[in-house]
């Protein structure tokens, strides 16, 4: 494949990344953030998968089989089991405006500048091998792509003719454009995060593409690859953890723990996971999406490794490059180019984020404090441009250091080995960072002593041997120990044998780190500043509201603090910050530089220059009084009281809101009842007026016509009597309903045989059915089939329910062909009565309305006269006895009214009798 083609595609891809980042920043400026999605956040965590994953995991699997897994099991366990710890880190970072892992550790221990410097230097030393890993991977992939089949050369060429050197320059320039364009109060780079999320998709798709090609293109699936490998003795062991010997659990455990700590402590992971986090709840989505991403990108690692070993059997091919060499050997040049872009994506993503994170640490924790110490910052009005230039220079120097390490040591180590060296370095941050989040007694001296001790052991037992084995220094001290002292051999320190170099180094470095941290912390009481910060870290997430304690006392001027912010953020952004403060706390509060105002300014500055530098900057324009531990505890107590008062006020306010809501609801109910009352009175008046009007009209006719024929007079008198009976029924039903709803109805409860009651109701209405030509069918349990279904109720009330249902059924069935069927069934707990007719039926919207007062449903033209109160009264009676009533119907298919009542049990019957006796007394 031609070099110009590869370079053109590579540059085009980098340009595409820049476009994605540019669009992300533009959208963020318009308030339409691309990274506000939890999916974007979860995908951006894929920056963990670097060239190590893309190339090195296959190489590791080709030599160690399943032993590539611990590097991904660690992060998976950290996300699935330790997301609560991650959430606390994010909460602390947001509250303290943390900008980096160095800032996080330094802020915990009183915003110690010395500790911040130490962490920064260790981070620089630790990430340089990792950057070298990316350069080595991309360089090897590029060489293989343009010269397939050529064995990698170990001969070093001058830097001026080395393509890797120019690759480092390109990546440095690209990173400067990416992450050193502006100074922010939060150190968030939305465009960068969007680009990293995009890169995560690209490298995943590319790796899956080559995995599918090898598994299903060169071979016939997973089963075929594993079956062929199992048939070869030298490959069979790669599919077992034992690898032909006893399972090396210390090494497995070490790599798992190392990877878990790296996910939390690597500068780039801290930048993406913590600093760039937009919303805390995004972590919940990431806690399963990121492990799923790791599973997806590793599912084809072992098949590619086994497939490559079998495909290139007997040939000299670097397993790290199987992802490229396999498609090239098969003539799939387009796929190979896509896979190269995926590898480039994996490498550039790591370099970009790592360089940005380290450049922030260097500018904030190293260079800016020196400028302030030499008082050069006082003569500079635009510190923003100075800091950005410092970061750009740091990015360039960091890439050049990575290139230098690439030449010095990388040829002696595989990709995985280089990555593990970096992991072991940043793991030294874990004791000070993680223990300090939960142990208040940890001190700056303990953190510094543990960190330097652990780093020293790491450098002596891992870093220096890697350089010595590359041939750049005498390796006698590795083989024999310094001065011939065998007990000081770097890879068998204090006579500890039987462990691999990584496990050995991590054991001694973390053991000494934790031991020194605990011992030195217990040896001296923490200072007031350390105590205040320890409280803020350990109790993070437990303080809510505006009563967060402010541990500052002294004198300051608002104008001095304002000018300090202008020098870093510019006049416009500084004014916006102070407007924000005034809006929250009031104009009067913004006019005086009290402790809260000073803390506000320091927090804002911390978001741009780090906590330690922000503390120094604020101290340069204010006169801070020294605090004792008692002062800090006193301020904490005051803040606790304020929180208690605030919480009490919130509770009272919430109670008032709830009371107001209840009153509003009651008022609405009163209004509704008032409307119902009006409707009720209107309906009753209408129902009364109709028969009264008829009675009056007929009476006037008979009065005015004394000679009216007797037959007609008798007819009119019959109508008057009928209307009078209707009027009586209406009045009685209105009174009954009013008594029931008011709770004043008289209930004469006793044992009721529902079989007998239903038959009585049918007999009462039999003549009514006969007059209308309606057939009646009754389906009751036979007398000898089971005991009579008994209920405890007022028989007259239940008979009223039955008569209402039966009379309604007669009104709706067609005359001459009407049919009404009454049914009674019972089970162990309740009985059910049904009254079905073959009338016109009731539509679904009208079925519930059928039980409203004065509401008569159905076709008005076929509806017969009624009061509209029978069903509402029936519902009140049935529900009074713990039952339910309803209707099932379809238009044109009749209607079935039904009600249920709980059956009488000995216990319930006794309770009813007791209640009746108590009422009679």
């Amino acid at each position: 494949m031609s070099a110009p083609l590869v370079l053109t595609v590579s540059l085009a891809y980098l340009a595409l990344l820049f476009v994605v980042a540019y669009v992300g920043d533009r959208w963020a400026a318009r308030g339409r953030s691309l990274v506000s999605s939890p999916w974007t956040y979860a995908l951006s965590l894929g920056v963990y998968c670097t060239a190590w994953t893309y190339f090195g995991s296959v190489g590791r699997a080709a030599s160690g089989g399943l032993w590539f897994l611990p590097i991904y099991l660690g992060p998976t366990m950290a996300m699935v089991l330790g997301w609560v710890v991650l959430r606390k880190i994010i909460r602390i970072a947001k509250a303290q405006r943390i900008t980096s892992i160095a800032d996080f550790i330094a802020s915990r221990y009183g915003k110690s500048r010395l500790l911040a410097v130490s962490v920064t230097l260790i981070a620089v030393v630790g990430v340089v091998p990792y950057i070298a890993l990316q350069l080595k991977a991309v360089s090897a992939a590029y060489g293989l792509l343009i010269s397939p089949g050529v064995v990698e050369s170990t001969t070093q060429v001058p830097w001026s003719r080395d393509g890797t050197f120019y690759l480092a320059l390109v990546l440095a320039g690209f990173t400067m454009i990416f992450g050193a364009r502006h100074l922010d109060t939060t150190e968030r780079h939305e465009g960068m995060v969007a680009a990293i999320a995009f890169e995560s998709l690209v490298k995943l798709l590319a790796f899956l593409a080559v995995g599918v090609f090898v598994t299903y293109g060169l071979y016939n699936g997973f089963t075929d690859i594993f079956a062929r490998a199992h048939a070869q003795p030298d490959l069979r062991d790669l599919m077992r953890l034992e690898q032909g010997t006893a399972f090396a659990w210390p090494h497995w455990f070490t790599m798992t723990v190392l990877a878990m700590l790296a996910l939390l402590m690597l500068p780039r992971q801290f930048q993406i996971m913590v600093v760039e986090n937009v919303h805390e709840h995004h972590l919940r989505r990431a806690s399963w999406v990121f492990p799923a991403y790791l599973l997806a990108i590793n599912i084809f690692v072992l098949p590619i490794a086994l497939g490559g070993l079998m495909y290139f059997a007997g040939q000299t091919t670097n397993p790290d490059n199987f992802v490229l060499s396999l498609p090239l050997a098969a003539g799939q040049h387009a796929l190979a180019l896509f896979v190269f872009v995926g590898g480039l994506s994996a490498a550039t993503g790591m370099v970009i984020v790592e360089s940005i994170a380290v450049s922030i640490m260097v500018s904030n924790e190293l260079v800016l404090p020196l400028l302030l110490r030499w008082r050069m910052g006082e003569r500079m009005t635009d510190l923003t441009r100075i800091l950005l230039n410092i970061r750009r220079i740091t990015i360039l120097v960091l890439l050049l250091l990575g290139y230098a390490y690439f030449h010095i040591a990388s040829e002696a180590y595989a990709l995985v080995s280089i990555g593990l060296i970096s992991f072991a370095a940043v793991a030294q941050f874990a004791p000070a960072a993680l223990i300090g989040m939960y142990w208040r007694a940890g001190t700056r001296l303990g953190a510094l002593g543990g960190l330097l001790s652990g780093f020293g052991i790491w450098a002596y037992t891992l870093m220096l041997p890697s350089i010595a084995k590359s041939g750049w220094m005498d390796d006698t001290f590795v083989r024999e120990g310094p001065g011939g002292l065998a007990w000081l051999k770097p890879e068998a320190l204090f006579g500890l044998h039987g462990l691999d170099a990584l496990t050995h180094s991590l054991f001694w470095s973390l053991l000494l780190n934790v031991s020194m941290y605990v011992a030195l912390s217990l040896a001296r009481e923490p200072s007031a500043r350390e105590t205040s910060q320890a409280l803020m870290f350990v109790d993070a997430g437990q303080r809510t509201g505006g009563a967060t304690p402010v541990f500052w006392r002294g004198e300051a001027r608002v104008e001095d603090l304002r000018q300090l912010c202008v020098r870093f953020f510019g006049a416009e952004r500084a004014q916006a910050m102070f407007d924000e403060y005034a809006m929250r706390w009031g104009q009067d509060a913004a006019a005086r530089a009290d402790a809260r105002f000073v803390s506000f300014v320091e927090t804002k500055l911390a978001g741009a220059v780090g906590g330690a530098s922000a503390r120094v900057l604020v101290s340069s324009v204010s006169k801070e009084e020294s605090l004792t531990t008692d002062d800090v505890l006193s301020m904490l107590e005051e803040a606790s009281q304020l929180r208690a008062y605030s919480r009490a006020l919130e509770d009272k306010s919430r109670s008032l809101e709830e009371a107001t809501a209840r009153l509003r609801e009651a008022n609405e109910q009163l209004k509704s009842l008032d409307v119902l009352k009006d409707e009720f009175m209107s309906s009753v008046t209408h129902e009364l007026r109709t028969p009264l009007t008829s009675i009056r009209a007929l009476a006037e006719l008979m009065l005015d016509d004394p000679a009216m024929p007797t037959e007609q007079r008798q007819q009119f008198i019959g109508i008057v009597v009928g209307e009078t009976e209707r009027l009586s029924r209406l009045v009685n039903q209105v009174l009954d309903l009013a008594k029931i709803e008011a709770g004043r109805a008289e209930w004469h409860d006793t044992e009721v045989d529902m079989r007998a009651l239903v038959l009585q109701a049918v007999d009462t209405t039999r003549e009514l059915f006969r007059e209308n030509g309606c057939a009646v069918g009754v389906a009751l349990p036979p007398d000898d089939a089971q005991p009579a279904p008994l209920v405890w109720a007022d028989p007259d009330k239940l008979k009223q329910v039955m008569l209402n249902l039966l009379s309604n059924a007669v009104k709706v069935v067609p005359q001459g062909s009407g049919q009404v069927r009454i049914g009674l069934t019972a089970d162990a707990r309740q009985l059910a009565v049904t009254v079905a007719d073959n009338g016109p039926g009731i539509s679904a919207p009208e079925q519930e309305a059928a039980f409203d007062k004065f509401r008569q449903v159905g076709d008005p033209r076929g509806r017969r006269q009624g009061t509209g109160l029978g069903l509402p009264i029936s519902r009140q009676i049935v529900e009074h006895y713990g039952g339910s009533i309803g209707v099932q119907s379809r238009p044109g298919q009749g209607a079935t009214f039904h009600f249920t009542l709980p059956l009488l049990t000995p216990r319930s019957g006794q309770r009813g009798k007791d209640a009746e006796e108590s009422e009679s007394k």
Side-chain angles (χ1 to χ4, degrees):
M1 194 175 299
S2 66
L5 175 61
V6 177
L7 292 175
T8 301
V9 171
S10 301
L11 293 176
Y13 175 72
L14 294 178
L16 177 61
L17 288 184
F18 179 79
V19 170
V20 173
Y22 177 78
V23 171
D25 282 337
R26 287 292 300 272
W27 280 33
R30 297 174 182 173
R32 300 169 58 192
S33 175
L34 284 175
V35 303
S36 60
S37 167
W39 290 103
T40 304
Y41 175 73
L43 284 174
S44 67
L45 300 185
V47 73
Y48 178 84
C49 299
T50 65
W52 175 349
T53 298
Y54 205 81
F55 299 105
S57 290
V58 175
R60 174 68 171 172
S63 61
L66 296 173
W67 280 81
F68 75 94
L69 286 175
I71 300 302
Y72 307 100
L73 291 178
T76 299
M77 294 172 61
M79 293 299 295
V80 174
L81 304 178
W83 69 270
V84 176
V85 177
L86 293 173
R87 183 181 64 183
K88 186 171 186 178
I89 294 175
I90 291 173
R91 288 179 175 176
I92 294 171
K94 289 185 180 299
Q96 300 284 314
R97 296 256 176 177
I98 300 297
T99 61
S100 63
I101 182 64
D103 190 22
F104 183 86
I105 295 175
S107 295
R108 162 59 182 86
Y109 301 98
K111 300 186 178 182
S112 168
R113 188 164 58 182
L114 180 59
L115 196 54
V117 170
S118 301
V119 174
T120 301
L121 292 176
I122 292 174
V124 171
V125 174
V127 302
V128 164
Y130 217 153
I131 293 177
L133 183 155
Q134 314 307 313
L135 297 177
K136 176 181 180 179
V138 176
S139 174
Y142 174 75
L144 180 63
L145 205 59
I146 63 174
S147 302
V150 177
V151 179
E152 294 181 47
S153 174
T154 58
T155 304
Q156 296 184 359
V157 298
W159 62 266
S160 59
R161 293 190 292 110
D162 189 357
T164 308
F165 173 75
Y166 295 103
L167 172 64
L169 293 181
V170 170
L171 289 179
F174 191 70
T175 306
M176 292 178 196
I177 299 174
F178 239 125
R181 288 186 290 160
H182 54 78
L183 194 68
D184 191 27
T185 57
T186 60
E187 279 305 347
R188 283 180 32 212
H189 309 79
E190 296 206 3
M192 179 200 72
V193 175
I196 296 302
F198 176 76
E199 282 194 312
S200 295
L201 284 176
V202 171
K203 62 191 175 190
L204 175 62
L205 292 175
F207 200 89
L208 290 177
V210 70
V212 170
F213 167 73
V214 172
T215 306
Y216 296 98
L218 298 181
Y219 298 91
N220 293 323
F222 289 95
T223 304
D224 181 38
I225 290 181
F226 292 139
R228 293 191 186 192
H230 190 268
Q232 301 184 29
D234 55 335
L235 299 182
R236 188 180 305 147
D237 289 340
L238 295 180
M239 293 181 285
R240 292 198 295 262
L241 293 175
E242 293 79 6
Q243 299 288 297
T245 60
F247 175 57
W249 66 265
H251 187 49
W252 183 279
F253 176 77
T254 297
M255 290 199 299
T256 303
V257 172
L258 197 58
M260 184 184 301
L261 296 179
L263 181 75
L264 304 176
M265 300 294 122
L266 277 171
R268 74 171 186 278
Q269 292 301 135
F270 192 91
Q271 179 73 30
I272 287 290
M273 187 179 299
V274 178
V275 179
E276 303 290 349
N277 177 268
V278 178
H279 299 293
E280 177 188 305
H281 68 267
H282 286 180
L283 188 61
R284 288 187 175 272
R285 179 74 57 81
S287 65
W288 65 268
V289 173
F290 181 57
Y293 181 92
L294 293 180
L295 174 64
I297 206 170
N298 282 286
I299 196 168
F300 286 108
V301 168
L302 191 58
I304 293 175
L306 295 175
L309 291 173
M310 292 186 290
Y311 193 92
F312 296 113
Q315 304 180 37
T316 305
T317 304
N318 187 352
D320 285 341
N321 295 326
F322 276 172
V323 292
L324 277 176
S325 56
L326 283 170
L328 284 174
Q332 299 293 327
H333 297 283
L335 175 60
L337 186 58
F338 179 46
V339 172
F340 172 77
V341 170
L344 179 65
S345 178
T348 55
M350 177 273 168
V351 170
I352 290 169
V353 182
E354 199 82 81
S355 300
I356 290 173
V358 174
S359 68
I360 291 172
M361 295 164 64
V362 171
S363 64
N364 291 353
E365 318 300 351
L366 292 182
V367 180
L368 183 58
L370 290 177
L371 293 178
L372 296 175
R373 184 174 183 179
W374 296 336
R375 307 188 72 82
M376 294 176 60
E378 297 178 0
R379 301 191 297 271
M380 301 176 183
T381 58
D382 186 9
L383 286 174
T384 300
R385 184 171 55 85
I386 299 297
L387 288 177
L388 290 178
N389 287 333
I390 292 171
R391 292 180 183 181
R392 290 165 185 151
I393 294 172
T394 301
I395 291 170
L396 177 62
V397 171
L398 197 62
L399 267 295
L400 292 179
L401 287 175
Y403 171 76
Y405 187 88
F406 164 71
H407 266 294
I408 293 174
S410 69
E411 294 301 335
Y413 282 86
L415 297 180
V416 171
S417 300
I418 299 175
L420 291 174
I421 291 174
S422 293
F423 275 22
V426 299
Q428 306 308 316
F429 301 152
L434 299 181
I435 298 177
M437 288 169 53
Y438 297 94
W439 189 40
R440 294 182 181 180
T443 64
R444 179 184 66 89
L445 182 61
L448 190 62
L451 188 62
L452 295 180
S453 300
F455 179 71
I457 294 295
W458 168 82
Y460 180 70
T461 58
L462 203 60
M463 183 70 171
L464 291 179
S466 73
I467 297 176
K469 291 178 181 179
S470 67
W472 283 83
M473 60 183 299
D474 188 6
D475 64 348
T476 303
F477 79 100
V478 178
R479 293 182 286 102
E480 302 175 4
L485 299 175
W487 61 277
L488 288 181
K489 289 195 296 184
E491 296 182 344
L493 193 61
F494 304 125
L496 181 61
H497 296 275
L499 298 177
D500 62 278
L502 178 66
T503 304
H504 173 268
S505 177
L506 194 68
F507 170 78
W508 284 117
S509 61
L510 286 183
L511 176 64
L512 190 59
N513 190 329
V514 173
S515 300
M516 293 293 290
Y517 175 76
V518 174
L520 294 178
S521 294
L522 295 176
R524 183 183 68 83
E525 289 290 328
S527 66
R529 182 175 294 178
E530 292 173 41
T531 301
S532 65
Q533 287 299 109
L535 292 171
M536 300 297 289
F537 272 62
V538 175
D539 297 340
Q542 302 177 14
R543 307 180 186 280
T544 57
T548 301
V550 178
F551 302 105
W552 190 89
R553 188 167 60 196
E555 297 179 2
R557 294 175 62 246
V558 172
E559 186 58 31
D560 293 339
L561 295 170
R562 184 184 299 273
Q563 290 301 320
L564 181 62
C565 292
V566 169
R567 292 170 62 197
F568 281 91
F569 305 120
E572 183 177 350
R573 291 174 62 194
Q575 185 60 46
M577 288 165 44
F578 290 110
D579 290 344
E580 171 194 342
Y581 183 86
M583 184 177 299
R584 181 177 182 184
W585 301 107
Q587 292 293 339
D588 293 340
R592 61 178 183 271
D594 56 6
R596 186 168 56 193
F597 187 87
V598 173
S599 176
F600 171 79
V601 172
E602 182 176 333
T603 302
K604 290 293 185 181
L605 288 171
V609 300
S613 296
R615 169 75 72 170
V616 174
L617 287 170
V618 171
S619 299
S620 68
V621 297
S622 64
K623 296 179 180 178
E624 182 179 1
E625 298 179 13
S626 299
L627 297 177
T628 65
T629 303
D630 291 337
D631 294 331
V632 171
L633 296 178
S634 176
M635 292 177 177
L636 181 65
E637 180 63 26
E638 292 177 5
S640 299
Q641 292 177 0
L642 287 175
R643 283 198 306 277
Y645 295 151
S646 175
R647 193 175 298 111
L649 288 175
E650 289 178 5
D651 292 341
K652 290 182 179 179
S653 175
R654 192 178 299 109
S655 299
L656 288 174
E657 290 177 358
E658 292 175 354
T660 302
R662 287 196 296 269
L663 287 173
R664 187 180 296 110
E665 182 180 355
N667 187 47
E668 293 299 324
Q669 289 179 350
L670 288 174
K671 290 180 180 179
S672 177
L673 290 174
D674 189 55
V675 172
L676 290 175
K677 180 200 69 175
D678 293 340
E679 293 178 352
F680 180 77
M681 293 302 297
S682 175
S683 299
V684 170
T685 304
H686 173 75
E687 294 295 332
L688 290 174
R689 184 185 294 115
T690 300
L692 284 174
T693 301
S694 177
I695 293 172
R696 178 179 177 180
L698 294 174
E700 288 178 348
L701 287 173
M702 289 187 291
L703 180 63
D704 294 341
D705 187 5
M708 179 179 295
T710 302
E711 182 179 352
Q712 188 176 13
R713 185 181 295 274
Q714 288 297 115
Q715 180 185 1
F716 284 1
I717 291 173
I719 295 173
V720 169
V721 172
E723 291 298 319
T724 305
E725 292 176 350
R726 179 186 171 199
L727 198 58
S728 298
R729 285 198 308 273
L730 176 62
V731 172
N732 290 335
Q733 287 181 337
V734 170
L735 291 176
D736 288 345
L737 185 61
K739 287 181 181 180
I740 293 174
E741 290 182 339
R744 299 198 310 270
E746 295 182 1
W747 306 89
H748 303 290
D749 297 344
T750 186
E751 292 183 358
V752 180
D753 182 348
M754 283 302 297
R755 182 192 292 113
L757 188 141
V758 169
L759 291 175
Q760 291 175 10
V762 172
D763 289 340
T764 302
T765 56
R766 191 173 298 279
E767 182 61 24
L768 182 63
F769 285 112
R770 188 190 64 78
E771 292 176 356
N772 287 273
C774 178
V776 181
V778 181
L780 301 177
D783 293 341
D784 56 352
Q786 59 183 26
L790 303 178
V791 297
W792 184 261
D794 186 334
D796 291 337
K797 294 291 193 299
L798 293 186
K799 188 173 182 180
Q800 184 179 0
V801 173
M802 285 300 304
L803 293 176
N804 286 337
L805 296 181
L806 292 173
S807 61
N808 284 346
V810 172
K811 294 174 185 178
V812 298
V813 296
Q815 284 196 347
S817 60
Q819 293 182 5
V820 176
R821 299 179 304 279
I822 300 100
L824 173 63
T825 58
D827 56 22
R829 294 181 303 170
Q830 65 180 12
L831 62 83
V833 178
T834 60
V835 178
D837 61 65
N838 64 338
I842 306 173
S843 64
E846 289 186 317
Q847 289 179 18
E848 184 62 27
F851 295 91
D852 293 343
K853 302 169 187 174
F854 300 106
R855 183 68 179 268
Q856 299 184 57
V857 298
D859 187 356
R861 294 171 296 180
R863 186 189 302 153
R864 302 186 191 178
Q865 202 172 41
T867 64
L869 291 176
L871 288 178
I873 292 174
S874 299
R875 168 180 273 182
Q876 293 284 350
I877 294 172
V878 170
E879 291 181 350
H880 173 78
Y881 289 114
S884 62
I885 188 170
V887 60
Q888 293 178 340
S889 176
R890 289 184 180 180
Q893 300 182 19
T896 300
F897 284 85
H898 54 83
F899 67 89
T900 61
L901 290 172
L903 285 175
L904 175 67
T905 61
R907 185 177 179 184
S908 64
Q910 185 61 43
R911 284 202 306 266
K913 293 176 182 177
D914 294 342
E916 190 176 75
E917 291 175 1
S918 64
E919 288 179 1
S920 64
K921 292 178 183 179

